[in-house]
Amino acid sequence: MESCSENPIFKRASVRAWTDQPVSREQIIDVLKAGMQAPSAMNSQPWEFAVITNPEMKTRLAGISPYSHFAAGAPVLLAVLCRKENSCQPYNEIDMGICIENLLLEITALGLGGVCLGVAPLKDRMKYMADVLQLDETLESIALVPFGYPKQDVHVTERFDPERIRWIE
């Protein structure tokens, strides 16, 4: 794909296989800073995160769905969580989506690769993650973001489709 920009938006692709090279704590903090930089309704900032590098915990969390087994091989798993009580609950889904996209873009900007594994709104997956992480009632499971150094070159698919644009002039 020929990018129209050096922006990580045009370089991001879902990565599901990683090398064994460790991700530094500084890189993880940079990813979390990017997520927390997301805008949110009424500045509610509903997000919290669990950073999982423990192999046993990664294996348990990778069992959250029939499609997530590969997550156990990621150097880092981010559990993306939402505080149920915040200043603007009706917009939690949008706010959390923006946060996750920021995480993925920073992962890409750092030369890493990751993917978002949806947990919410599927109640069985949300409960599974809450049980594994021993979350209290104040937090809701939203997604898992496994990431690390990509095992293969990342290939990005061009998704621009002018047929999906309505010009109202």
Side-chain angles (χ1 to χ4, degrees), residues 74-87:
V76 180
L77 280 183
L78 287 183
V80 182
L81 312 169
C82 182
R83 290 182 293 112
K84 291 181 184 178
E85 298 298 322
N86 63 69
S87 60

Side-chain angles (χ1 to χ4, degrees), residues 70-147:
F70 62 86
V76 180
L77 280 183
L78 287 183
V80 182
L81 312 169
C82 182
R83 290 182 293 112
K84 291 181 184 178
E85 298 298 322
N86 63 69
S87 60
C88 203
Q89 295 170 18
Y91 293 97
N92 283 352
E93 290 177 18
I94 293 169
D95 294 345
M96 295 307 296
I98 297 168
C99 170
I100 292 166
E101 183 67 5
N102 276 16
L103 296 170
L104 293 169
L105 292 174
E106 183 64 12
I107 287 167
T108 301
L110 291 171
L112 303 167
V115 63
C116 177
L117 301 174
V119 174
L122 301 176
K123 297 296 182 195
D124 60 327
R125 293 181 190 181
M126 293 170 74
K127 182 180 179 341
Y128 183 91
M129 191 158 108
D131 289 347
V132 170
L133 296 176
Q134 299 178 347
L135 301 179
D136 65 32
E137 298 292 320
T138 66
L139 295 172
E140 197 166 50
S141 305
I142 302 298
L144 278 176
V145 178
F147 71 98

Side-chain angles (χ1 to χ4, degrees), residues 12-19 67-75 112-118 145-155 159:
R12 197 213 64 78
S14 294
V15 173
R16 294 176 178 85
W18 303 272
T19 68
Y67 314 105
S68 58
H69 62 279
F70 62 86
L112 303 167
V115 63
C116 177
L117 301 174
V145 178
F147 71 98
Y149 286 92
K151 194 173 255 187
Q152 296 101 10
D153 289 339
V154 176
H155 299 286
R159 293 189 174 132

Side-chain angles (χ1 to χ4, degrees), residues 158-168:
E158 170 66 50
R159 293 189 174 132
F160 180 76
D161 181 356
E163 295 298 317
R164 294 181 177 230
I165 301 169
R166 294 178 188 211
W167 295 94
I168 303 170

